[in-house]
Each structure stands twice: as C-alpha cells, then as structure tokens.
C-alpha cells in the first residue's frame, strides 16, 4: 500500500536553517522539513481523494503562519511550534471532507488533536554523532541552534504539497497552490507522476 501525506514546506531561509542543523545531528532523514497538514489516514492508493483535497486548497486564501519557537512532544520529539487559525481550519476541512473516522483521527492526531508543527529532531532518528539514535542532550543542542538561527517568526503559505512514499522516503509528488488573494484562482500543478 502506498503512503501519502499532505504538507506545507517552509520558505527557503527557514528550510535551509532546519536542514543544516539536521544534517549536523541526524545521519538519515525520511522526509524534508514541513508542516503536516493532513496525515496518512484516508489517503488511499486510488488517489481519488486528490481532486477533493485540491478543490478545498484552491478555494483557500493564502495565509500567514506564526512560528512560536521550539517545543516538545514528551521527551521524544523537538519541533518548531506554528500557529495559524487558517491552518487549523484548512486541516479540519480536509479531515471532515475525507470523512476520517474518529479512531484514525485519534491515531494520527487529527481534528481536535491537531498541533501544527515542524519536526526538527526525534530520539528515534539515527544520530550523525554516534552509532545510536539521537539523545536528549543532542535534541537540546539542536534546540539551541535552531532558536539561534531562525530569524523570522512568520511566513506566508501559498502552496501545499502532496507527498508520496518511495523507497522509505517521502518525496514531493504534487503541488496545489492556494487562492492568491487577488481574485484569481491558481491551478493544480503536477510535479511528477510515479
């Protein structure tokens, strides 16, 4: 079964800051820095959901996301917290339209459990500094570096990516542009067909 998710790639400056720190501490990543807009649930192999998701996103105005600094999910995941009412609304619209069951919403932290974020490091990632996985102290070092390097606290979301898993790595598959706020709709853009 093919796996997909829908995500938002941060702008180049933020993206590069995160990637540079990750490369220093993490030996292999399975996905680039992103905000998960919609997790894997109900994103099926037949790809019939793509048309539904495209319509929702194309009819959503571009919006701002605010970065609120680093936070943790327990002692396992360090992330950049992102806040945006429009992000939560867009997430909820997609989850509702795809009729994601409550059990899957709970499993994938969707709906009311959704927390917008950009994962920077996890203790399950392989460490570039040792033959083990990242340690808590490595996460704390990454946190110091990411807080020192991120120079902007917000950015405009103007597109969304559908990711497809290929060879144990999620790759950009299709891009959908948000409404440009100037009265014209953008079009769905096929990046690759696999």
């Amino acid at each position: 079964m093919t796996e997909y998710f829908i995500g938002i790639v941060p702008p180049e400056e933020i993206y590069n800051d995160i990637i540079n720190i990750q490369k220093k501490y993490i030996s292999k990543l399975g996905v680039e820095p992103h905000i998960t807009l919609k997790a894997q649930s109900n994103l099926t192999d037949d790809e019939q959901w793509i048309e539904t998701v495209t319509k929702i996103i194309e009819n959503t105005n571009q919006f701002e996301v605010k970065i609120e600094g680093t936070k943790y999910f327990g002692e396992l995941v360090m992330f950049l917290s992102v806040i945006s009412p429009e992000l939560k609304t867009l997430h909820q619209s997609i989850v509702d339209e795809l009729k994601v069951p409550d059990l899957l919403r709970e499993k994938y932290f969707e709906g009311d459990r959704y927390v917008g974020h950009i994962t920077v490091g996890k203790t399950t990632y392989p460490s570039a500094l040792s033959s083990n996985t990242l340690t808590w102290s490595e996460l704390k070092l990454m946190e110091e570096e990411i807080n020192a390097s991120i120079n902007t606290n917000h950015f405009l979301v103007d597109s969304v990516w559908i990711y497809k898993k290929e060879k144990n790595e999620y790759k950009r598959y299709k891009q959908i542009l948000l409404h440009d706020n100037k009265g014209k709709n953008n079009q769905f853009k096929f990046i690759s067909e696999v």
Side-chain angles (χ1 to χ4, degrees), residues 9 63 74 85 91 95 106 114 130 162:
V9 178
F63 58 89
H91 164 80
V95 169
E106 188 172 319
Y114 178 73
S130 72
I162 295 173

Side-chain angles (χ1 to χ4, degrees), residues 36 55 69 104 120 127 151:
T36 300
K55 287 178 183 173
L104 290 176
V120 179
S127 174
N151 293 320

